[in-house]
């Protein structure tokens, strides 16, 4: 497995007369009455499925935002694991302007920013700046436009230096425990730590640390030989 | 329905010798022993009922804060959908000073700001500034005192330009999905989007967008004629 | 009970060649394969138990951070009730570097900061600054290094001026209600407010306020005499 496949960067930029747009969400023409309820239901179900897949696939997903991310585009940013934005980026859920409240984007937005910030965005449809998106937790980093690709790449390369199997276990465990009570979360994660240590790359990492050398990852899900001998 | 009735602004300011106060919560004289446990229970139940109603009524509720919001007054701000504060505003849960821990305010406060910020406020009783309230998500906007009414009105007028029935559906859906798991939340909101599209104002908004004209809202909960023809 | 025992300050600083470290978490040598799965499980269970005890003991726990808090050290900060950090402090979950994803620290971290900030820390292992820790809610206050002890002491002394029984009830109620739905949380806390008023120190505080004098706390869990007479 090439290290270059070990992350996904979502970066959609379209230079238009109105300026660059990250993603503006659904095609509203598909939402007119003539397409019918069943078709509309399928549109929103597919969209929700995509948003949930971002969190269930075993590799980190980074949003690289340079422009305006609106509606399902804003939902996409909110659903990624990490989001880096350029200073000029803005974020909005403007559905109220076309009589369609951004209820599905609100699932991701309401879990990313404080409730009052989410509701002001949803009720007014007005955009927030990149700076405010960082302040409120919608993105994890804001950089000047000219540094955007460099910073996203830097994070991706940093992730590439880690063990894929360790990160896959960590990501899956993270999302599972976040939906649990504190007690259940600690039960699940304590178990995950033991499992992690039993991975080939878990033991390789600890051994390399003790032996003061760089670890060499296998990136496979296998149990370490040492651990099997223990049994 | 006049558009001016389509939001509620909570703005209580009393100029006293101690300076302006937004709301200082309960009347402590009612909480002495002679009123008895049943009376005390009724006081707190009524208060909780009010806080929950803010989230269940179908119109946006905006807190306009200019001064000190303490105890149940701070809880009120935390419970609103949107909160705009003047720069001089401050927020506190000082119950410990009178031997009455702000446990009911903590329900709203603890869901609005990070846990450590909430606990420092609750344990010390000390106020936080408007700036910190914005930093931590207790309010959604801070403006100079002289711009406070203008900014609150601007947000309210912005909301007035949207469809009341669309916003009512959106607000109800928002609070319901926020209490759910990600899967349940997406199931609920995907359904709400389809329902929203079937509203008269849902189709009017999409059609106006496609036809490049301004939408004309009916503000009623009715199903659109077009949608019925689909069936 | 001396007021000096009425809080816990966790402050571990070691001046080393690498600079001061708040806490760097587990001893990795204990996590090699030769110790075996059962031993590993015990290490993580004990650690989780400690983190949960911080929230269940009846006194406030303040983290005083001056240096680098990593892995379980970062988890410790995230688990405290209050955290004050010096400007030079940094926070990291660098487990990926040694092939051991910080899954147990992520329980506390993921509940303290926005999800994207947590995942960027967990996936890259890179530290965040004290300023960013404050911005994202991991600590409640950042001060210059020379003011650190003074500020922590000031908060502790402020807490010492309150009633221990009132704070104990308040802390226990806070963590219980935070895990509940809004309705359940208001039911629990409304009841706690009535209970609080029935405490000796609850009535003392209200009476002192009404009588415009300083309260004198007994710090005991007893029911007030006045309240019993009511019955």
């Amino acid at each position: 497995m090439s290290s270059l496949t070990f992350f996904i960067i979502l970066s959609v930029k379209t230079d238009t007369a109105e300026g660059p747009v990250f993603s503006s969400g659904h095609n509203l023409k598909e939402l007119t009455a003539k397409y019918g309820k069943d078709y509309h239901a399928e549109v929103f179900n597919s969209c929700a499925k995509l948003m949930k897949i971002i969190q269930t696939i075993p590799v980190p997903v980074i949003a690289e935002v340079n422009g305006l991310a609106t509606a399902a585009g804003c939902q996409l940013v909110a659903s990624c694991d990490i989001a880096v934005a350029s200073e000029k980026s803005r974020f909005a859920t403007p559905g109220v302007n076309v009589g369609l409240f951004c209820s599905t984007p609100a699932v991701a937005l309401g879990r990313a920013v404080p409730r009052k910030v989410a509701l002001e965005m949803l009720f007014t449809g007005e955009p927030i700046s990149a700076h405010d998106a960082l302040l409120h937790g919608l993105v994890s980093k804001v950089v000047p436009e000219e540094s955007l690709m460099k910073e996203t790449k830097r994070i991706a390369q940093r992730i590439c230096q880690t063990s894929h199997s360790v990160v896959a276990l960590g990501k899956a465990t993270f999302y599972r425990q976040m939906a649990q009570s504190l007690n259940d979360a600690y039960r699940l994660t304590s178990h995950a730590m033991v499992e992690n240590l039993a991975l080939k790359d878990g033991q390789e990492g600890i051994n390399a640390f003790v032996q003061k050398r760089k670890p060499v990852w296998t990136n496979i899900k296998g149990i370490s030989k040492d651990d099997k001998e223990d049994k």
Side-chain angles (χ1 to χ4, degrees), chain A:
Chain A
M1 186 199 269
S2 149
S3 68
L4 281 174
T5 63
F6 178 49
F7 58 86
I8 297 174
I9 296 181
L10 292 176
S11 178
V12 187
K13 286 163 294 188
T14 329
D15 274 289
T16 68
E18 294 81 50
V21 167
F22 171 76
S23 166
S24 55
H26 291 289
N27 177 0
L28 291 184
K29 289 184 185 165
E30 280 186 4
L31 301 180
T32 47
K34 66 174 176 196
Y35 282 87
K37 277 196 158 188
D38 289 349
Y39 185 80
H40 295 164
E42 210 187 297
V43 166
F44 296 114
N45 288 337
S46 303
C47 176
K49 211 177 278 180
L50 168 70
M51 300 298 166
K52 290 188 284 181
I53 280 175
I54 290 174
Q55 304 188 356
T56 49
I57 53 173
V59 302
V61 181
I62 308 170
E64 179 184 74
V65 189
N66 190 27
L68 180 61
T70 68
C74 182
Q75 179 184 7
L76 190 62
V77 176
S79 300
C80 285
D81 296 323
I82 294 176
V84 187
S86 69
E87 281 165 350
K88 72 163 187 195
S89 297
R90 285 175 310 144
F91 303 85
T93 47
V96 283
N97 294 336
V98 293
L100 181 60
F101 200 91
C102 281
S103 288
T104 39
V107 173
L109 182 69
R111 282 158 178 76
V113 302
R115 177 167 56 78
K116 276 188 185 54
V117 175
L119 282 175
E120 188 172 326
M121 289 175 69
L122 290 162
F123 284 150
T124 68
E126 291 176 346
I128 63 168
S129 67
H131 172 262
D132 283 350
L134 178 65
L135 178 72
H136 299 304
L138 182 54
V139 303
S140 43
K141 202 156 274 174
V142 172
V143 294
E145 185 176 3
E146 60 271 23
S147 315
L148 181 62
M149 276 184 66
K150 213 182 95 193
E151 176 60 16
T152 315
K153 213 178 225 171
R154 198 191 62 77
I155 294 175
Q157 277 167 343
R158 190 70 202 72
I159 291 173
C160 284
Q161 291 162 14
T162 63
S163 158
H164 308 184
S165 47
V166 166
V167 164
L169 175 61
K171 175 170 172 174
T173 304
F174 181 82
Y175 282 107
R176 257 190 291 156
Q177 61 88 1
M178 282 299 287
Q180 295 180 331
S181 72
L182 197 69
N183 276 332
D184 288 349
Y186 270 125
R187 198 172 308 124
L188 178 78
T189 53
S190 294
H191 185 75
M193 293 296 269
V194 176
E195 255 187 282
N196 187 153
L197 278 176
L199 291 177
K200 262 193 199 319
D201 284 349
Q203 281 307 319
E204 166 61 13
I206 301 288
N207 290 337
F209 177 84
V210 172
Q211 294 157 22
K212 293 177 184 178
R213 59 171 176 82
K214 273 194 88 169
V216 181
W217 309 124
T218 61
N219 295 328
I220 59 169
K221 265 191 85 179
I223 300 297
S224 88
K225 206 177 128 250
D226 285 0
D227 188 76
K228 271 185 280 185
E229 277 167 359
D230 263 16
K231 301 254 127 184

